Amino acid sequence: MKRLSDVFEGLTKSDPLFKNLKLRLVLSDLAGILGESLAKHCRFVEFSNGTVFFTCDSDVWLTEARFMSKKIAEKINERLGEKMINNVVFRRDRNGDRL
């Protein structure tokens, strides 16, 4: 009998919906990926064609996040157990809302 985790892993390789779900499960621990301070000021927006998009609530945090983007991509891929993320893009939240 197959374990549920094995079935889920198989589905993530063949179905984009499950691939997106797997990424969202990993990103549910944003503080573990971005760090406590940065996670308070950034939020996940979308995933498209190997790129993860985030917004930040200020230019200071945006600069910090962009500086760390390569390491963040590596950390996400490590947690996913595969190279799904090629690029991490941070943008300024134009609404000016605190996240």
Side-chain angles (χ1 to χ4, degrees), residues 38-51:
L38 187 57
K40 291 177 184 177
H41 299 277
C42 298
R43 70 179 172 88
F44 168 71
V45 177
E46 71 176 303
F47 170 66
S48 178
N49 297 320
T51 301

Side-chain angles (χ1 to χ4, degrees), residues 3-69:
R3 296 183 321 178
L4 183 57
S5 61
D6 294 336
V7 172
F8 183 73
E9 283 300 316
L11 287 169
T12 61
K13 296 196 185 316
S14 62
D15 189 324
L17 177 66
F18 281 93
K19 186 172 277 207
N20 199 317
L21 177 61
K22 183 178 180 180
L23 174 65
R24 288 174 183 273
L25 287 170
V26 167
L27 292 177
S28 67
D29 178 25
L30 205 53
I33 293 169
L34 301 180
E36 291 284 334
S37 298
L38 187 57
K40 291 177 184 177
H41 299 277
C42 298
R43 70 179 172 88
F44 168 71
V45 177
E46 71 176 303
F47 170 66
S48 178
N49 297 320
T51 301
V52 178
F53 296 89
F54 292 92
T55 58
C56 298
D57 64 7
S58 75
D59 291 332
V60 171
W61 291 107
L62 178 63
T63 301
E64 176 76 14
R66 285 181 174 165
F67 178 74
M68 297 174 48
S69 63

Side-chain angles (χ1 to χ4, degrees), residues 69-82:
S69 63
K70 185 175 179 180
K71 289 230 181 260
I72 291 168
E74 291 170 0
K75 187 175 272 189
I76 294 171
N77 283 327
E78 179 183 314
R79 291 199 178 187
L80 289 168
E82 63 180 294

